[in-house]
Amino acid sequence: DFRLLPGDRFTENEIAARLKVSRTPVREALYRLEREGYLQVQFRSGWSVRELDFRQFDDLYDLRIALETACVKALCERADRPDLEALAAVWLVAPGKRLRDGEKVCMLDEDFHGTLVAAIGNREMARCHREVTDRIRLLRRLDFTEPERIAATYDEHALILRAVLRRNAERATQLLRKHIETSKAEVRKISLHKLFSARRR
């Protein structure tokens, strides 16, 4: 939520007091965030938030594109019809039945992409995709703070899903690639805007 901005310093005690928990789970969480590249330990002066590494996020989005397009292509080319009825029930709905809650749509979006990857049955690709999803979640959820981006997600997912159900691999992968690339560009714009706005306060 950008309550702590890149460059901000803080201590374990401050976070424990804010969350009303003991220091032990706070310390474990902070070291995990350090391993994932979000924080760094300042010698004798607590912790600080790392600057956002947009090149790393770009690389992760590119890896996501490679994984998802390969899975969707395989899904379209398999002999048996994929069971995607659960996704159809969420995304192939009339505009009046669409959710507007950004957090809920974000979770449904993750499920949409994860389900397409998992549907081909390659557990290692699914595991790798989950790891990429975890690492970009910080920025990716920002894509669902704007109503027009929520509407675009519904429209784009519907097109992708219909192409998969028709086994049109070329169209499905083109739509999917464009969808993720658009999301990547929008997230970067939103992130920079949010950081700029937060620093001005």
Side-chain angles (χ1 to χ4, degrees):
D1 295 326
F2 295 111
R3 293 178 194 173
L4 291 169
L5 297 172
D8 284 355
R9 295 189 175 207
F10 59 91
T11 66
E12 288 176 13
N13 286 338
E14 290 168 357
I15 300 298
R18 180 184 290 185
L19 300 176
K20 297 181 174 65
V21 296
S22 70
R23 286 178 56 191
T24 301
V26 167
R27 186 179 302 115
E28 289 173 2
L30 293 177
Y31 276 113
R32 177 175 172 179
L33 289 169
E34 182 200 24
R35 286 193 302 275
E36 294 176 0
Y38 298 113
L39 302 176
Q40 56 190 4
V41 181
Q42 300 294 325
F43 184 63
R44 292 186 180 173
S45 61
W47 298 78
S48 68
V49 181
R50 285 187 185 273
E51 294 295 327
L52 290 179
D53 184 351
F54 282 108
R55 178 168 180 176
Q56 181 187 46
F57 283 113
D58 285 346
D59 289 346
L60 288 167
Y61 267 92
D62 290 344
L63 175 56
R64 184 181 159 210
I65 288 169
L67 278 170
E68 291 191 30
T69 53
C71 289
V72 162
K73 184 174 185 293
L75 195 57
C76 290
E77 293 173 352
R78 61 191 287 173
D80 56 322
R81 180 179 170 84
D83 180 12
L84 301 175
E85 296 306 314
L87 292 186
V90 173
W91 299 103
L92 301 182
V93 295
K97 293 189 175 181
R98 293 176 174 182
L99 297 177
R100 291 178 175 80
D101 182 311
E103 285 188 30
K104 289 180 181 176
V105 176
C106 182
M107 290 191 314
L108 290 171
D109 173 74
E110 283 193 13
D111 182 64
F112 174 83
H113 292 276
T115 299
L116 291 178
V117 170
I120 66 164
N122 185 317
R123 288 180 293 181
E124 286 305 307
M125 290 184 87
R127 179 191 59 76
C128 185
H129 185 262
R130 283 193 301 273
E131 289 178 7
V132 171
T133 299
D134 286 344
R135 293 179 69 188
I136 63 175
R137 185 175 291 123
L138 173 73
L139 291 187
R140 187 176 174 190
R141 67 191 183 90
L142 296 176
D143 203 17
F144 302 95
T145 58
E146 308 290 336
E148 61 272 16
R149 289 299 305 144
I150 292 174
T153 297
Y154 269 97
D155 293 340
E156 292 163 15
H157 281 191
L159 290 171
I160 294 163
L161 191 52
R162 286 191 178 104
V164 172
L165 292 171
R166 290 176 185 137
R167 301 180 183 279
N168 189 335
E170 184 177 355
R171 178 161 170 76
T173 54
Q174 285 176 348
L175 289 167
L176 182 61
R177 177 182 297 276
K178 183 180 177 187
H179 170 66
I180 298 173
E181 286 176 347
T182 299
S183 178
K184 177 170 80 169
E186 289 295 323
V187 160
R188 181 179 274 230
K189 283 195 298 190
I190 294 168
S191 302
L192 291 172
H193 172 72
K194 277 192 173 271
L195 286 173
F196 179 72
S197 299
R199 283 200 171 112
R200 290 181 60 188
R201 280 192 238 121

